[in-house]
Amino acid sequence: MLPRAPSDKLAPMKAYRARLLRFDDASGQPLYDDDGLLVIGPDAQGRAVVRAAGAHAALIDRYPGVAVEDLRPFLIAPGFVDLHIHYPQTDVIGAPAAGLLPWLENYTFPHEARFADPVYARGVAEFFLDELARNGVTTALTFATSHPSSVNAMFEAAQARGLRFITGKVLQDRHSPDGVRDDTEQSLIDTEALIQRWHGVDRLGYAITPRFAPTSTPAQLRGAGELAAKYPSVWIQSHVAENLDEVRWAAELFPDSRSYLGVYDDFGLLRECAIYAHCIHLDRADREHMARAGAAAAVSPTSNQFLGSGFFDYQAADAAGMRYGLASDVGGGTSFSPFRTMLAAYVVGREGQTKPGLSLTPGQLWWQHTAGAARALGLDGVVGNLLPGCEADFVVLDPQATPLLARKTAQADSLDELLFALIVLGDDRVVQRTVVAGQSR
Ligand code: GUN
Ligand code: ZN
């Protein structure tokens, strides 16, 4: 497509004065201005991007005539990125089960069968996207179901809202009940057709989506790996090493693979832009392998707590140099709110802690749900941050959203204290506004 002529530019320049949070590209450290200015305007293609971000006093004179909306004392921060979520499980949240496998069998699979109906799927997709916006999430890597129409429903809804959004048809051709089980050959034909229809259209991206190794035949995984090689810019998403019964089952089904993670590697599914949810019961060789491959873990702490799966080992992941980011994993996860997820991650970090001091700082937690998650997706410099050139997806947060938050944040003497107050006490009430591609949602 030709770049737009300047007269076609869609996004007028606009500036916001507020507290302003973003992250240093190289170090991931938070950058903060108590009195900041965020300037949004069109890039050469007419897309709304960040043109400048920094201290109000340093920037304001460079933008004469640009309308400035004064949002003080609110905090502008990058839109949250949810690295792993299931839109069809919106209504599965809170389904109790002894563990992952009975939860899938008794609640999740029967519910997902309903997504054969495209009208039902579209209704859930719209509700789901409303819920993401209410919680300040502007990009998500989401599972659909095994029904191609569930993918079309989600892409159509996300496209209408101008979202940067990634989803894919679930592949599950065995050990799955009627209603969700797909056919090996047809599932691969459908996946390729969906890639060709949607990948790279507007802000949308496709993810090849084997549910997890136990519900795919070797033939289906081989086909998925072939598609991943043929379309190197598509994402891959799956689950790995979440639950001990699941790990044992994978070992029985794939006795020739070195480990559960090794199954995905054996079929060409471990590479950059491959996101594996959970990654709890990995060994050192697995973690080093993930790091070398450039694949990333979607750390899903509320899900792991709810399903009793275990705890992500942050120290081992860091020692191996693995990439990771935060995810809600709704409906195993219990909340759409990034604040709930960050708080759960803080608790999980404490669990495996052997070094003195904080397990995870508030800046690290926030980074994992914004710029860090974007980096895991290969979208650093695109979303999850507010450096010049990033797409204009951001949230406006109210540090006084509840009486207790107002008391607590009034006493915050540092950025860490302000962010910790929001992480511990915040939820959807904090999110004043969610801006996608420069437009309020
Ligand atoms: N493993 C395979 N499918 C799923 C799922 O839907 N949720 C979670 N948490 N784990 C899975
Ligand atoms: Zn999941």
Side-chain angles (χ1 to χ4, degrees), residues 88-336:
Q89 295 177 14
T90 300
D91 297 306
V92 181
I93 296 181
L100 171 68
L101 300 177
W103 176 83
L104 286 171
E105 193 180 327
N106 296 326
Y107 293 103
T108 306
F109 290 160
H111 190 81
E112 289 193 9
R114 299 176 72 173
F115 287 73
D117 174 358
V119 175
Y120 181 75
R122 182 63 187 258
V124 177
E126 296 291 355
F127 180 87
F128 171 88
L129 293 180
D130 286 347
E131 203 60 15
L132 290 187
R134 277 191 345 93
N135 284 283
V137 177
T138 50
T139 288
L141 173 62
T142 180
F143 269 53
T145 63
S146 56
H147 317 93
S149 57
S150 75
V151 180
N152 290 326
M154 177 44 90
F155 273 136
E156 284 161 9
Q159 185 179 35
R161 295 173 191 229
L163 287 165
R164 185 163 284 287
F165 200 84
I166 307 167
T167 189
K169 181 202 123 52
V170 174
L171 299 166
Q172 52 180 120
D173 66 347
R174 67 168 166 174
H175 301 138
S176 307
D178 289 352
V180 293
R181 192 179 59 258
D182 59 9
D183 170 78
T184 313
E185 198 180 328
Q186 189 61 43
S187 71
L188 299 168
I189 292 168
D190 289 341
T191 296
E192 184 158 23
L194 289 164
I195 292 171
Q196 290 177 351
R197 175 168 177 196
W198 290 110
H199 185 64
V201 173
D202 294 341
R203 302 178 77 200
L204 307 175
Y206 193 84
I208 296 170
T209 309
R211 175 162 219 121
F212 64 159
T215 49
S216 283
T217 58
Q220 192 176 49
L221 292 176
R222 190 169 307 111
E226 284 165 7
L227 287 171
K230 182 170 176 186
Y231 297 96
S233 67
V234 304
W235 283 267
I236 297 166
Q237 58 177 344
S238 192
H239 300 89
V240 74
E242 173 179 6
N243 164 289
L244 290 172
D245 292 333
E246 170 212 15
V247 173
R248 277 190 284 273
W249 193 21
E252 278 164 33
L253 292 169
F254 297 93
D256 296 336
S257 292
R258 194 202 71 83
S259 65
Y260 185 175
L261 185 79
V263 176
Y264 297 116
D265 188 41
D266 292 345
F267 289 105
L269 292 165
L270 207 61
R271 62 149 163 79
E272 299 234 337
C273 297
I275 308 293
Y276 284 91
H278 310 299
C279 295
I280 295 171
H281 309 287
L282 298 181
D283 64 15
R284 188 170 152 177
D286 286 329
R287 293 188 179 95
E288 289 175 351
H289 200 148
M290 274 196 84
R292 269 197 310 281
V299 182
S300 308
T302 73
S303 170
N304 301 155
Q305 288 171 331
F306 185 72
L307 292 174
S309 303
F311 300 97
F312 182 76
D313 187 337
Y314 276 100
Q315 288 188 46
D318 287 342
M322 244 172 89
R323 289 185 188 176
Y324 51 78
L326 282 176
S328 66
D329 191 30
V330 159
T334 49
S335 174
F336 278 85

Side-chain angles (χ1 to χ4, degrees), residues 388-441:
C390 288
E391 295 175 349
D393 292 350
F394 61 90
V395 286
V396 180
L397 304 178
D398 180 2
Q400 301 171 343
T402 68
L404 182 56
L405 252 176
R407 277 177 77 89
K408 186 78 191 153
T409 57
Q411 297 171 55
D413 281 332
S414 65
L415 177 63
D416 271 7
E417 289 182 8
L418 174 67
L419 297 184
F420 246 137
L422 287 164
I423 289 170
V424 174
L425 298 174
D427 53 32
D428 53 327
R429 290 169 294 181
V430 166
V431 181
Q432 268 286 323
R433 196 186 296 180
T434 299
V435 178
V436 170
Q439 306 285 323
S440 291
R441 297 286 154 192

